Amino acid sequence: MSEDAQTIADAAPAAPKGFVSLKVHAVRHWTDSTFSFTCDRPQSFRFRSGEFAMIGLVVDGKPLVRAYSIASPSWDEELEFYSIKVQDGPLTSRLQHLKPGDHIVMRPKPVGTLVHDALTPGKRLIMFSTGTGIAPFASVIRDPETYEKFDEVILTQTCRDVGELDFGKALVEAIRNDELLAELVGDKLRLITTTTREPSPEMGRMTDWIRDGRFATATGAPLSPETDRVMICGSMGMLQEHKELCEAAGMKEGSNSEPGDFVIEKAFVD
């Protein structure tokens, strides 16, 4: 094959109008129900750590897309996504079979509220997540701005089973083993993981931890609008429960247009 012919063969397939085609670099299956993958990042694509984008596949000539938080930080040369597998889900039933060299499509217009701009200044940044809701925080905890703005950064993740916690644990371990990030992060970052079904060292939902005082004991203080800023990502029920607890603590919900004490994300995939 000539060099020109090889270039054509390697070229990304044409994307539908309003989308870009991204080549998949690597895929990792963390559990039977979760996987992550990295892909091209267009040179012109800019986003704030914590935002999400509409990504997916072309099915029967049409884009089938869902909102996915970008798990990579805003400075990374690749884009990373972390996903559940839903066997009968319109998109994830297909997306879970991605292989290096395959292509996805993305609408290059990132949005979202799990960003620093939506929070007022504070001392502690606390991120509550369940399942793949940890994805946007995988971006936030690798962003230098996070450690410039906050003295403490606390990431929590609650899952049913121990294996579902591996993505977050591996992420924090990689940060500690990265010379540049480790120097930047220092001892500011803390990961608290709990399970609700399979036995583990720490059990229970974080909402229960907040109510019964375990959260205050583990972190040194209860939620406070004076010091804390909160980001929340998970199921609709989890979002509502955490929102009520934040409001009960005297915290005000923020947005991109009007920053506050806590923010929630409402983007889901199936």
Side-chain angles (χ1 to χ4, degrees):
M1 184 181 294
S2 69
E3 194 170 309
D4 288 345
Q6 182 64 54
T7 300
I8 293 173
D10 290 341
K17 185 177 180 180
F19 289 85
V20 292
S21 181
L22 308 178
K23 185 177 181 180
V24 174
H25 298 161
V27 181
R28 179 168 178 177
H29 295 270
W30 295 88
T31 69
D32 291 341
S33 60
T34 59
F35 70 105
S36 63
F37 61 95
T38 58
C39 57
D40 289 337
R41 174 179 178 173
Q43 289 188 349
S44 61
F45 183 66
R46 298 288 181 267
F47 69 96
R48 296 174 297 174
S49 294
E51 288 188 310
F52 66 86
M54 302 300 293
I55 68 166
L57 301 167
V58 176
V59 178
D60 297 329
K62 297 179 180 180
L64 175 62
V65 297
R66 298 289 186 271
Y68 268 82
S69 292
I70 304 169
S72 46
S74 59
W75 50 260
D76 206 324
E77 295 180 355
E78 294 183 323
L79 296 178
E80 181 180 17
F81 299 96
Y82 182 50
S83 177
I84 56 172
K85 304 175 186 178
V86 181
Q87 300 311 319
D88 58 353
L91 178 58
T92 61
S93 61
R94 296 176 169 91
L95 206 62
Q96 64 183 291
H97 299 298
L98 282 176
K99 303 182 300 297
D102 289 344
H103 287 80
I104 66 166
V105 293
M106 178 183 75
R107 189 184 296 278
K109 296 179 180 179
V111 292
T113 54
L114 299 179
V115 293
H116 292 305
D117 293 345
L119 293 174
T120 55
K123 293 184 178 180
R124 296 199 304 182
L125 175 63
I126 303 164
M127 293 161 280
F128 294 114
S129 71
T130 54
T132 54
I134 196 175
F137 305 142
S139 177
V140 173
I141 66 172
R142 287 183 281 181
D143 191 325
E145 184 181 359
T146 300
Y147 302 94
E148 294 169 1
K149 288 181 174 289
F150 296 95
D151 298 330
E152 289 184 72
V153 178
I154 301 167
L155 171 60
T156 81
Q157 185 188 25
T158 298
C159 296
R160 290 173 300 176
D161 302 319
V162 174
E164 295 172 36
L165 301 169
D166 286 349
F167 176 81
K169 291 178 179 178
L171 174 66
V172 172
E173 184 66 19
I175 290 173
R176 302 202 191 287
N177 290 329
D178 183 284
E179 186 174 347
L180 293 177
L181 282 177
E183 183 176 352
L184 173 72
V185 173
D187 60 358
K188 288 187 174 183
L189 175 63
R190 181 174 178 192
L191 174 65
I192 300 175
T193 58
T194 68
T195 56
T196 57
R197 185 169 65 185
E198 184 179 357
S200 70
E202 303 291 350
M203 300 287 295
R205 292 179 173 82
M206 202 51 56
T207 46
D208 292 332
W209 277 46
I210 294 171
R211 292 189 186 96
D212 64 22
R214 278 179 289 173
F215 175 79
T217 299
T219 65
L223 286 180
S224 167
E226 302 300 321
T227 57
D228 298 336
R229 299 299 173 259
V230 175
M231 295 179 171
I232 311 163
C233 192
S235 67
M236 186 62 76
M238 176 267 197
L239 294 176
Q240 185 59 37
E241 200 172 353
H242 271 284
K243 176 179 178 177
E244 291 171 358
L245 288 169
C246 285
E247 290 176 338
M251 305 179 105
K252 178 184 176 183
E253 184 173 358
S255 65
N256 282 288
S257 59
E258 190 174 347
D261 305 320
F262 74 95
V263 286
I264 62 177
E265 191 57 87
K266 302 174 182 178
F268 305 100
V269 299
D270 64 7

